[in-house]
Amino acid sequence: MAFTKDDIVGALKTVFDPEIPVNIWDMGLVYDIVISRNMVIIKMTFTSPTCPMMEDILNQVKSAVSRVVAPTDVQVDLVWEPAWDLSRMSDAARLELDLTNEGW
């Protein structure tokens, strides 16, 4: 294996929801990265099950990670449990979206 989890995270940081100026990693949308000999599995969610860009973002995730881990296969699993909330966001994402007040 010529890649690391950090390489995968770097790839995930290139994927953005077009409506939010923060990447999916810093948004806290990625719940888990599982690396095995033949497969990388990304478990992720969205802020809402009605996200109109869901399919496109899932495809972007698979494509971005595939470029880093090729020839290893990539599987992206959409999960809804636990539900996403603001506490999953990185400090950088909260700052970018001006959500730094304690009251969020």
Side-chain angles (χ1 to χ4, degrees):
M1 227 178 348
F3 62 88
T4 66
K5 186 172 182 176
D6 287 340
D7 295 327
I8 295 169
V9 170
L12 293 169
K13 286 184 173 186
T14 68
V15 180
F16 290 76
D17 180 323
E19 297 178 348
I20 303 171
V22 176
N23 67 71
I24 64 167
W25 179 260
D26 288 329
M27 280 295 295
L29 298 178
V30 178
Y31 285 0
D32 198 13
I33 299 170
V34 178
I35 301 171
S36 69
R37 182 189 291 181
N38 301 325
M39 176 86 60
V40 171
I41 301 171
I42 308 294
K43 294 185 181 190
M44 66 172 292
T45 194
F46 286 89
T47 59
S48 166
T50 61
C51 174
M53 296 301 296
M54 191 179 308
E55 238 5 84
D56 186 50
I57 293 169
L58 291 171
N59 288 332
Q60 287 180 48
V61 168
K62 184 170 184 169
S63 177
V65 174
S66 292
R67 284 191 295 274
V68 171
V69 304
T72 303
D73 288 330
V74 176
Q75 176 180 317
V76 182
D77 292 342
L78 181 58
V79 297
W80 297 109
E81 295 292 328
W84 180 88
D85 64 53
L86 290 173
S87 69
R88 298 194 57 85
M89 294 175 71
S90 71
D91 290 341
R94 283 193 207 105
L95 186 60
E96 177 70 29
L97 297 175
D98 196 25
L99 298 171
T100 56
N101 293 336
E102 294 291 325
W104 54 265

